[in-house]
Amino acid sequence: MIKAYLIDLDGTLYHGRHRIDGADKLIQTLNEQAVPYLFVTNNSSRTPQGVADHLNEMGIPAEASQVCTSAVSAAEYVAEESPGARVACIGEAGLLQAIDEAGLQRTEEKPEYVIQGIDREFSYQKLTKALRWINDGAKSILTNPDLQLPSDDGLTPGAGTIGAAIEAATGVSPTVIGKPSSIIMKSAIDRLNLRADEVAVIGDNMRTDIAAGAAAGCETLLVLTGVTTKENMDTHISATKIRPDHVFDDLHKLIEWLSQQASQASKKG
């Protein structure tokens, strides 16, 4: 039985600054049913509060405590493995804050870890530093492997593109935290204090959201509102070797299904 949901953002609830039809109703439905959920995003540039603000601006109610970012998950991963570790950061505000709040020490002198996310001020100098830190033994952590990011005026390079440059320079493959890695999902599941089989993942991207959910042992709900479409779904299934548990044409179809699930649960109860 599904007791909670992990919900993707970009492509599932919104496109950039534009809310996808039914996104507000989806969250309203979950709130009315008193079903727990978390927003799970590969975005490492925004803080959880920044993500919540972005959602609220579009009329989608959200609180910072409901947001799980790849930055927070990356910092928590390092803090659990090595509390108070010395960390070099290549990233933006969301990652910097996450590192500080996890009790890690930010430094550029002999770091034990290099945590890298999206950095729109990335430079040859930063690449050189990362090369030397990692060659000197620092562990490489990548918040998320997204190679491209949508923006209001077209695609831009993502954190994964920067990570690819660092990996090419060092020859060291990073530990990837964000989707399709199961690490970010397990972090969110732990916050819900549930088992993976009690949680379902809602997302638009077969190669990230659904792949991560399947890897973590969650039920998977694909909505055809973003990256994956009816036309390319079979290609994505072939590439990932994963088939979603449920597929919905839009968020309204998902809401209908949620209502049916709630009705069945109340009858059993």
Side-chain angles (χ1 to χ4, degrees):
M1 179 180 172
I2 299 172
K3 295 183 178 180
Y5 294 87
L6 301 180
I7 307 171
D8 174 57
L9 296 179
D10 205 347
T12 300
L13 298 186
Y14 59 73
H15 292 134
R17 300 178 185 176
H18 304 287
R19 186 180 73 201
I20 292 173
D21 188 37
D24 52 341
K25 177 64 175 175
L26 170 63
I27 302 307
Q28 179 186 336
T29 299
L30 291 173
N31 286 335
E32 289 173 350
Q33 295 176 356
V35 177
Y37 58 88
L38 292 174
F39 301 108
V40 181
T41 176
N42 270 5
N43 188 318
S44 66
S45 64
R46 287 193 177 112
T47 64
Q49 185 60 58
V51 173
D53 290 343
H54 184 59
L55 286 166
N56 281 300
E57 286 167 4
M58 289 182 287
I60 303 170
E63 298 179 6
S65 60
Q66 297 173 306
V67 177
C68 182
T69 72
S70 64
V72 170
S73 294
E76 290 177 347
Y77 175 86
V78 172
E80 184 174 340
E81 184 173 274
S82 183
R86 295 166 58 83
V87 171
C89 176
I90 297 175
E92 299 183 3
L95 185 53
L96 294 169
Q97 178 175 305
I99 288 170
D100 292 343
E101 291 184 349
L104 302 171
Q105 302 177 58
R106 277 196 280 139
T107 181
E108 294 197 353
E109 299 297 327
K110 298 181 179 179
E112 300 166 80
Y113 292 83
V114 175
I115 307 181
Q116 178 249 310
I118 187 66
D119 186 340
R120 280 161 282 205
E121 294 184 357
F122 187 67
S123 64
Y124 188 79
Q125 182 183 23
K126 289 185 179 182
L127 178 58
T128 301
K129 288 181 178 180
L131 164 62
R132 293 174 181 173
W133 289 327
I134 293 169
N135 276 1
D136 285 342
K139 295 183 180 180
S140 181
I141 306 292
L142 176 60
T143 59
N144 61 295
D146 302 62
L147 296 174
Q148 299 175 340
L149 295 176
S151 71
D152 291 339
D153 57 357
L155 290 173
T156 60
T161 298
I162 298 172
I166 294 172
E167 182 174 351
T170 61
V172 175
S173 298
T175 297
V176 178
I177 304 299
K179 300 175 283 187
S181 169
S182 63
I183 294 175
I184 190 171
M185 293 309 200
K186 289 177 179 176
S187 173
I189 293 165
D190 287 346
R191 285 172 59 176
L192 290 167
N193 198 28
L194 293 171
R195 299 192 315 268
D197 62 359
E198 296 175 317
V199 178
V201 174
I202 300 172
D204 72 295
N205 192 326
M206 278 291 302
R207 300 186 188 228
T208 56
D209 310 318
I210 304 305
C218 299
E219 195 162 328
T220 53
L221 282 60
L222 174 68
V223 287
L224 303 178
T225 52
V227 171
T228 306
T229 64
K230 284 183 179 179
E231 291 72 26
N232 66 26
M233 184 167 62
D234 288 342
T235 300
H236 286 302
I237 290 173
S238 178
T240 59
K241 304 295 189 292
I242 294 167
R243 187 172 293 275
D245 294 305
H246 305 277
V247 181
F248 304 94
D249 289 342
D250 53 41
L251 293 179
H252 293 289
K253 294 292 185 183
L254 170 59
I255 293 166
E256 289 177 14
W257 183 83
L258 290 173
S259 297
Q260 292 170 2
Q261 295 296 110
S263 176
Q264 292 172 8
S266 64
K267 290 177 181 177
K268 290 179 181 179

